Amino acid sequence: MTVVGSGAASGGAQLLPEVLAFSSSLPLDRQLLREDVIGSMAHLIMLSRAGLVPREAAGAIRSELVRVLEAATGLPEEEDVHMAVETLLARSLGETAGMIHTARSRNDQIALDLRLHVREQSALALEELSLLLAELAERAGRERDTLLPGYTHRQRAQPVSAAYYFCAWGAMFARDLELIRTAASPEMPLGVGALAGTSLPIDREVVRKLLRFERVTANGLDTVGDRDFALDFAYAAARALLHASRVATDVIDFCTAEFGYLRLDDEIAMGSSMMPQKRNPDLFELIRGKCGRAVGNLNALLVTVKGLPGGYNRDLQEDRQALLETGPLLVSVLRMLRLGLGRVRFDPERGRKALEDGATAATDVAEALTQAGVPFRTAYKLTGALVRRCMDQGIALGRAPLDLARQIDPRFTPEVLRAADAADSVARKKNAGGTGRASVDAQIASLRASAKAAAAAGSAVPRLDRLLAELKEAAL
Ligand code: ARG
């Protein structure tokens, strides 16, 4: 039987190839090569400065690490990316290569790689989030006068503007900003070794500073078993995609013939292989569908960690697929939603038609009566009676004749009846959070501010390419 792998991870013993294949995380964690090399460089620089690795050896190892990263193709078959890198170093440097693993375990190494990965992905997600928020603010700004019904229970409820919809969608994503930002882990795990730390005189602060973390983790036993940062990121992603899925459903519904408020541009409308007339919203259905993957990934991570004893357990390697999928999924959905929403057109005529009978402004009529001194519950009942009377006679509430209204109650006035106008209804809701002009302006301004804040938060995150460039040059 052919035996592969260096055996370095199993005390020199050779694993059965089947067992190695079953246990290897390399097919997935090869994606963490850049993170792994960056972590190794910072660790190496610290070891050199602490006098634990001679400067010359450290220089040679660093050059080799750079080469490994640049020649990213050929990683040898090993248990994981960490062993693959060490094996490559050993091939060219021999025994000297082994110095890199001084005061280090793969347990703290993978904890670092994953944190670096989450940090990078959260920066990318914040950039996309910023663009999406800016797009929503921009669209809202241009659709202040396009009216359509707002819905509760998927029944027409009250008149709103398309701008108000864009702002509502934006409000959900503005909340995701904080969640994604905090998922970028501030703690540096390297230096705790397998679990208990090391008797060698290392300096974790040097590594922390080189890698731009805010603090070092407090306890090794906790550190090597901790995947809270992964859970936080997966939750942030799942919630943002949940939001995307809800926007997608509004768009999907609104571009049906039944609702008809939206039209998809040719650039995003997809056809059917059989029905020539179709303009399908596949893009938005896929956005909605991908939400399921994000929720599944969060669940997979939660279940992986549940009930594990303290310290590192190999079960944790099963975090890989779920976590590595999360960042790119989040980034691509935010991007696709932005591109998609930039290519849907509201049809003002359809919106106006849906509001024409005035029924959605019944609350406004009741509120106008209330302003004229009628207690709200009475006004509600009187307006309800008027709505029913109008429906029986096939008259729109907005066109209810005054004498018809006065047959119900003499407190109805021409001014009260004018409240059934949809545009007035939207304009009159002047409170914060309402549909009125000043309120919508404030909401748009707030979306713009969130877009800026997301961009700033994204650019405040230390990026891998920058770190790598710095570590190549840093004094040994
Ligand atoms: N491949 C492992 C993982 O991804 C690295 C840590 C292995 N540690 C160990 N003690 N076997 O979790």
Side-chain angles (χ1 to χ4, degrees):
M1 191 168 284
T2 14
V3 179
V4 291
S6 66
S10 44
Q14 295 289 359
L15 281 174
L16 261 183
E18 292 91 333
V19 171
L20 177 64
F22 179 76
S23 60
S24 175
S25 52
L26 193 57
L28 289 170
D29 66 18
R30 61 171 67 246
Q31 291 176 57
L32 296 169
L33 180 62
R34 189 164 50 140
E35 287 84 342
D36 203 65
V37 165
I38 286 172
S40 287
M41 281 188 166
H43 184 64
L44 179 73
I45 291 165
M46 181 277 290
L47 291 175
S48 166
R49 291 185 192 171
L52 290 164
V53 169
R55 192 176 300 156
E56 203 177 313
I61 297 172
R62 176 160 66 178
S63 308
E64 203 48 33
L65 280 168
V66 173
R67 235 179 45 78
V68 165
L69 185 57
E70 281 164 4
T73 41
L75 289 178
E77 267 183 83
E78 287 287 351
E79 255 182 61
D80 50 37
V81 67
H82 326 297
M83 293 316 304
V85 171
E86 202 178 311
T87 299
L88 284 179
L89 294 180
R91 277 186 197 162
S92 48
L93 299 173
E95 197 183 22
T96 304
M99 293 181 175
I100 184 71
H101 214 55
T102 308
R104 189 174 72 173
S105 155
R106 288 180 295 157
N107 298 353
D108 57 348
Q109 205 175 348
I110 186 62
L112 174 68
D113 291 3
L114 294 175
R115 283 172 193 262
L116 288 173
H117 168 81
V118 166
R119 208 166 68 170
E120 181 80 358
Q121 292 298 318
S122 64
L124 297 172
L126 287 167
E127 282 170 7
E128 276 304 335
L129 188 73
S130 168
L131 296 174
L132 174 62
L133 289 166
E135 173 72 22
L136 288 164
E138 155 73 19
R139 292 299 311 271
R142 284 191 277 124
E143 304 279 6
R144 285 186 173 90
D145 299 322
T146 309
L147 303 184
L148 73 160
Y151 286 75
T152 61
H153 313 272
R154 230 14 162 196
Q155 306 287 318
R156 290 176 188 170
Q158 291 190 299
V160 301
S161 62
Y164 197 62
Y165 261 101
F166 281 117
C167 288
W169 295 337
M172 295 195 283
F173 294 108
R175 285 195 294 275
D176 293 327
L177 160 57
E178 229 17 71
L179 214 50
I180 298 174
R181 190 216 306 258
T182 51
S185 169
E187 294 193 333
M188 204 293 292
L190 212 58
V192 301
L195 75 160
T198 172
S199 58
L200 296 166
I202 63 164
D203 187 347
R204 297 183 69 201
E205 276 298 307
V206 170
V207 181
R208 177 190 74 73
K209 285 190 193 128
L210 288 169
L211 296 176
R212 306 255 189 292
F213 282 95
E214 285 170 31
R215 54 185 181 272
V216 299
T217 56
N219 175 291
L221 184 62
D222 168 51
T223 300
V224 293
D226 172 27
R227 293 293 179 269
D228 287 357
F229 60 94
L231 295 173
D232 291 347
F233 185 56
Y235 173 62
R239 204 183 73 178
L241 264 64
L242 207 83
H243 293 155
S245 78
R246 299 190 62 196
V247 174
T249 290
D250 276 338
V251 172
I252 292 163
D253 286 356
F254 289 177
C255 68
T256 58
E258 284 72 11
F259 285 80
Y261 309 133
L262 278 180
R263 200 179 147 75
L264 305 175
D265 283 358
D266 290 347
E267 279 180 293
I268 57 164
M270 301 202 193
S272 150
S273 62
M274 185 170 177
M275 298 171 284
Q277 84 284 10
K278 293 282 263 178
R279 294 175 62 79
N280 288 331
D282 299 33
L283 174 62
F284 291 96
E285 291 170 307
L286 284 166
I287 287 170
R288 185 169 61 182
K290 300 231 184 234
C291 173
R293 307 245 309 250
V295 173
N297 288 336
L298 171 61
N299 193 46
L301 288 170
L302 287 165
V303 175
T304 297
V305 177
K306 178 193 170 292
L308 288 183
Y312 177 84
N313 299 274
R314 192 67 180 271
D315 316 43
L316 287 171
Q317 186 172 294
E318 292 302 310
D319 64 22
R320 225 48 46 85
Q321 178 147 4
L323 182 58
L324 293 181
E325 190 185 75
T326 294
L329 185 63
L330 171 60
V331 168
S332 68
V333 168
L334 293 176
R335 186 171 152 76
M336 286 302 132
L337 189 62
R338 169 169 58 87
L339 296 181
L341 288 176
R343 287 162 180 79
V344 297
R345 309 285 136 222
F346 273 93
D347 179 348
E349 197 44 35
R350 282 296 292 254
R352 203 187 52 73
K353 271 216 156 67
L355 297 170
E356 208 168 48
D357 71 2
T360 49
T363 310
D364 298 87
V365 172
E367 285 182 355
L369 273 177
T370 302
Q371 277 207 311
V374 181
F376 178 77
R377 191 48 69 208
T378 310
Y380 170 93
K381 284 181 188 149
L382 297 177
T383 308
L386 178 61
V387 168
R388 276 188 296 281
R389 194 76 66 88
C390 286
M391 276 166 80
D392 289 347
Q393 303 195 8
I395 307 170
L397 180 64
R399 298 216 172 76
L402 185 60
D403 43 337
L404 180 76
R406 288 216 155 127
Q407 283 166 22
I408 295 168
D409 193 282
R411 285 171 288 185
F412 277 108
T413 63
E415 204 205 328
V416 165
L417 292 182
R418 270 200 298 279
D421 179 74
D424 283 356
S425 157
V426 169
R428 265 196 310 270
K429 305 219 169 47
K430 292 183 180 143
N431 288 307
T435 52
R437 186 156 192 110
S439 162
V440 167
D441 283 350
Q443 293 174 47
I444 294 173
S446 155
L447 284 186
R448 292 215 172 96
S450 294
K452 272 199 181 151
S459 53
V461 174
R463 300 297 295 273
L464 293 179
D465 280 340
R466 259 298 286 291
L467 284 180
L468 185 64
E470 289 170 9
L471 291 168
K472 281 183 190 169
E473 304 299 326
L476 289 167

